[in-house]
Structures are given as C-alpha cells and as structure tokens.
Amino acid sequence: MVDFESSLLHQYVASNMYQRKQPDRASAIMVVTRYLLRRVSSAKLIAASSHLLFRATILAALILIFLFLLHYPPLLLSSSHYSSSSPHSNHRSLLSSGSYGGGYWERDVRRSAAPRRPDGLSVLVTGAAGFVGTHCSLALKRRGDGVVGLDNFNAYYDPALKRSRQALLSSHGVLVLEADINDGALLAKLFDVVPFSHVLHLAAQAGVRYATRNPQSYVASNVAGLVSLFEVAAKHADPQPAVVWASSSSVYGLNTEAPFSEIHRTDRPASLYAATKKAGEAIAHTYNHIYGLSITGLRFFTVYGPWGRPDMAYFSFTKSILSGKPITLFRMPDGTAVQRDFTYIDDVVKGCLGALNTAKKSTGVPGGGKKRGPAQLRVYNLGNTSPVPVAEMVSILEHLLGKKAKKNVVTLPQNGDVPFTHANVSLAKTDFGYRPTTDLATGLRKFVKWYVEYYGVQTPKVVNKDAGEEEKEEEGAAASA
C-alpha cells in the first residue's frame, strides 16, 4: 500500500511541476482518494455493461432459435411432423427409451417372422401400414412366409387409416412395430433377433406436390432412411438380406420416349420426390458395389385399389363426388389430356413377390468387409401398360357412384406433375413372369366397393355386382329394348 501511495504521489508531483508547487501530504491523499473512486466507478460500469451485453446476447440467441424453429421445423422435429424419418443425430432409439426390447418383445417378433412353409421367406417389410405395404404383407403371410412390419404412422394422411391396416395385419398374425427407419439401433436389434432373408423396403415420403411444402421430409425418409436401412443390412445383419425396394415411375421425369423403359433417361426429374427416388437408385448402386448387397428397385406406376392412399386422385375424387364438392382436372397447355398408367394393387403385389422370389443372395461379409463377388442389382417397371386419360377415370367413377362430378378443368401447373406415364414391363415379364391383368374399370369397381363399406357410404347397386353380373344385366336390358 505504501508503494502504491508513493507512486500516486509521484504522479501528482509530476503533474504539478509546471506550477512549481510543492505538494503537501493532504493534497496527495485527496488525489489518491479521487483516483480510487474513479477506478471503482469505472469497474462497476464495465461490469454492468458486461452483464447487459451477456443478457442481450442470450436474448438474441433465443430469438434466432425461435425464428429457426418457426421457419424450418422439419429440420429439428421428429418423424411425427409429417415425415417418415428423422436424421440419426436427432433420433432417440426406441430401445434406449424402453419402448421395445425384452424377452416378450423378442418372442413376438420371432413368432411373426417365422415362415410356415418349407423354404419360406422371412421378410422385414418397412412401411407395412402403408397402402402397398399392407397388401404385400398380407400376400406374403397368406402363402406361408414370415413377416415383421415397421411403420412410423406419420400424419401425411389420416393415421386412422394406417391403424386400420395395422389391425387388419394383426388379425392375420403380422406384427407391425411403430418405429422409424432412421432408428439404426432398433433395426440392428431386429436383425439380431431374426436373421431376415429379405427386406421389402416400402417406407417413403410419398406425393409429388407435398414436396414443395415440406422438402426436408423427403430427404429424411427417401434418402437418409434408405441409407440407414442399407447400413444395417450391409454392415450388421448376418446373413446379409436381399433387399427389394420401392423406387418410382417419377424418375423418368421429363422423358418423352414412350412407353417408358428401364433403359431410358432418368436424369431429368420433374419434382423433388422424383429426385430423391433417383438418388435412391444411385445409393443402391453404391451399396451393391461396395458391400455386395443384393438390391432390386421397383418403379411403381400410379398404384390404386382398396385400402389406398387418400391423397391419390381416384381416392380424393371419390370422396368429392359423393359429397358434391368440385374436383379439379388438369389438361396440357395445348389442350391434350393428362394420362396415367393406372396399375391395380393386386398386379403390383404380384410384381413385388416375383422380385422377392427371384432375388439372389447378397455376397458381402457382415461388418462391411470385402464382398465375395458381384451381387445382383436390378430395376424394373411395374405398370399396367395402358395409359388412360384422367377424365376417363372420372367417368368410370361417376358410373360406379351413380353421381355426376362437378369439374373444374385447368391447365397443368408447374408443380412436379408430368403429362403422361406409360410403362414397358417386358423386362419384369421376362425375369419373373409379371403380367398385369386388371383393367381400370374392374379395379375401380373393387376400390369403390371397399370405399363405401369402409366409410359407411350408401352402397350404389352397381358396386355390389361383379363384372359378370353387370355384363349379364346389360345384355338383358339390351335384349328387352
């Protein structure tokens, strides 16, 4: 303290030398006191400013986080927000949460996966509570194969319909687990419990137009989810399963050659949905090349039928016609009709089972080691081969429902839809006997019959008749005329 005070006195003397005054000790003490007070006040001000700056920074960070959540929720939310998956970094495995696992759970999984016929398949079906997934799971179980389903029951369309499909599968002995395909730990556990021979990977974020509103859900499900599945199948499963997965006819994008063939260009997607499916085909090639996974991709063409997706045109048109609401029909700028290669669900199921039946074993080594040799890599069209104008589909629905539609005809917008689809299925026919047999009128009759029964709508007479009965009635009416 003496040294510090002496230093201050020295400064005081130096500052007053020009006045040639001899400082007395009282004046020096006053100088020291004032100096200390100034230092203390300055320290308090700095401390107060620091606290204020810290609080302002925290507030600004909270505001930024709030704005980020407001504008980009799919990046941070889980799969319950309209997506069928979520990235690994944001996903907590259901195993760690205690939702799954344990002796009873493993017993139920094994029971559902056990084939009932000699040389039967044991198949993990992702998206099992979806439209195609439900029908394929039922067909596999009915022929004696073992099936375990996986579905996240997202809210892209009414989850109640998915729950009804789940109940239908349960009544046939198929266990459907509510889980996300990005849950790598759960997938690995499933392969530990059951040595699945095959995977039928149908889980995906569907819909062309919805991608403009929630693009992240497509990347999370169709890209990240596919990688998650391939990672477990290639590096963890023992033995490696053969994988059959759902690509899409949308990969043909702006292709104008018809009918669409597997050798045609697929590098011009017209929608983000199509782009994610095309990316999936490239990813499949990578895992086949590096890890020896046997992989078959199936390009579906506008699948329809009972238990279908409510976002599809035939389904939503049926609902609107019955309720008296207008429907929107698209036409091309030159006035030509929009056409689709409508494919009935039973035909698609036959194609899926044919692909599973002819899928060869993977050649990789569990753990991701060097593969033993080249593995099977295939892609097929599954369509009906007969494009039909959408307006004709509406006419068939009007006849079946006994009610005219209120139509708004507008030009096809630039929202990712393409003017027509037309499948060449000769490759699938050659390799596993794929032959679509259901025409649009017959398929829509079966759909409408299911629709009016499921939703409790008053049943039109025509719906309760099969094709033969209707033809006889029409012949009789013609004869009496």
Side-chain angles (χ1 to χ4, degrees), residues 113-123 140 143-146 197-198 353 356-359 361:
R116 301 190 317 274
R117 65 183 177 95
D119 300 322
L121 310 182
S122 181
V123 188
L140 288 167
R143 75 176 193 178
D145 294 320
S197 60
H198 295 72
L353 268 60
L356 288 168
N357 292 340
T358 56
K361 293 183 179 181

Side-chain angles (χ1 to χ4, degrees), residues 17-186:
M17 282 298 290
Y18 71 94
Q19 297 179 352
R20 299 184 182 278
K21 294 181 180 179
Q22 184 69 27
D24 55 33
R25 192 168 185 82
S27 298
I29 292 173
M30 290 180 63
V31 170
V32 173
T33 303
R34 290 172 182 172
Y35 179 79
L36 290 175
L37 287 173
R38 285 199 300 271
R39 289 291 298 272
V40 170
S41 299
S42 176
K44 288 181 177 180
L45 179 61
I46 293 173
S49 299
S50 299
H51 284 297
L52 182 61
L53 180 61
F54 176 76
R55 291 174 181 175
T57 302
I58 293 297
L59 180 60
L62 290 173
I63 292 174
L64 288 174
I65 292 172
F66 173 76
L67 291 174
F68 189 84
L69 282 169
L70 183 65
H71 291 283
Y72 300 99
L75 290 176
L76 297 178
L77 296 181
S78 69
S79 60
S80 62
H81 185 78
Y82 296 105
S83 73
S84 53
S85 57
S86 57
H88 286 289
S89 58
N90 294 329
H91 188 89
R92 183 187 179 195
S93 174
L94 291 172
L95 291 177
S96 61
S97 68
S99 300
Y100 289 141
Y104 290 108
W105 179 81
E106 292 184 10
R107 179 202 62 191
D108 291 341
V109 169
R110 290 193 183 97
R111 179 183 298 166
S112 186
R116 301 190 317 274
R117 65 183 177 95
D119 300 322
L121 310 182
S122 181
V123 188
L124 174 64
V125 180
T126 70
F131 173 33
V132 179
T134 295
H135 284 274
C136 285
S137 297
L138 285 173
L140 288 167
K141 198 69 175 180
R142 284 168 177 161
R143 75 176 193 178
D145 294 320
V147 181
V148 173
L150 201 70
D151 204 290
N152 75 341
F153 296 90
N154 68 29
Y156 169 62
Y157 61 81
D158 186 9
L161 180 57
K162 301 177 185 180
R163 294 297 181 185
S164 294
R165 297 180 188 137
Q166 182 187 30
L168 175 65
L169 290 172
S170 179
S171 69
H172 287 78
V174 177
L175 174 66
V176 179
L177 303 173
E178 182 173 1
D180 196 290
I181 55 172
N182 276 305
D183 190 342
L186 178 61

